[in-house]
């Protein structure tokens, strides 16, 4: 798959990224097979976030990538959203200082 430079950085990404957010009731083995199949066919990048299954998807993706050379894949993770212990199902936002809008852009309070 052709890679493109991200802005002025040295990072090169494919134009398409495979999302890992669960949208169907697939067995864990089927998700792993899907992700490994994508890599085998040259699809190198995965989008994930701690919020997907409260970290369960990231753990499963780690299992899927076990044994695959690190240079063959890119994991693109989102930051800034978190949940506190006991608040499962509710995402914690911190009010932005200037606008009063929820801040989920990676401030120290939301990491």
């Amino acid at each position: 798959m052709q890679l493109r430079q991200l802005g002025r950085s040295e990072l090169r990404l494919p134009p398409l990224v495979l999302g890992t957010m669960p949208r169907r009731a697939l067995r864990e083995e089927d998700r792993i097979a899907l992700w490994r199949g994508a890599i085998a066919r040259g699809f190198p990048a995965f989008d994930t976030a701690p919020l997907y299954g409260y970290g369960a998807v990231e753990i499963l993706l780690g299992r899927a990538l076990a044994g695959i050379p690190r240079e063959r894949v890119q994991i693109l993770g989102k930051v800034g959203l978190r949940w506190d212990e006991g608040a499962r199902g509710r995402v914690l936002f911190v009010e932005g200082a200037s606008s009063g809008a929820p801040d989920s852009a990676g401030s120290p309070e939301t990491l």
Side-chain angles (χ1 to χ4, degrees):
M1 182 175 286
Q2 184 181 18
L3 301 179
R4 297 177 183 171
Q5 185 173 345
L6 180 64
R8 290 184 228 152
S9 75
E10 294 180 20
L11 186 60
R12 298 181 56 78
L13 300 170
L16 298 173
V17 175
L18 183 62
T20 60
M21 179 183 233
R23 301 219 183 254
R24 296 182 177 186
L26 291 178
R27 295 177 311 152
E28 288 187 356
E29 301 81 34
D30 294 333
R31 286 189 198 284
I32 289 173
L34 172 78
W35 296 334
R36 286 183 157 266
I39 294 166
R41 288 165 182 80
F43 207 97
F46 297 87
D47 163 71
T48 190
L51 196 61
Y52 300 170
Y54 296 101
V57 169
E58 290 180 324
I59 292 168
L60 188 60
L61 183 60
R63 284 182 36 212
L65 299 178
I68 294 174
R70 178 64 187 100
E71 62 275 2
R72 288 200 52 205
V73 297
Q74 293 175 314
I75 302 168
L76 309 170
K78 297 176 195 72
V79 298
L81 295 176
R82 74 170 216 221
W83 59 93
D84 285 348
E85 193 63 38
R88 287 174 92 65
R90 279 194 356 247
V91 178
L92 175 68
F93 287 98
V94 175
E95 295 296 317
S98 59
S99 67
D103 174 13
S104 63
S107 66
E109 294 82 9
T110 59
L111 294 177

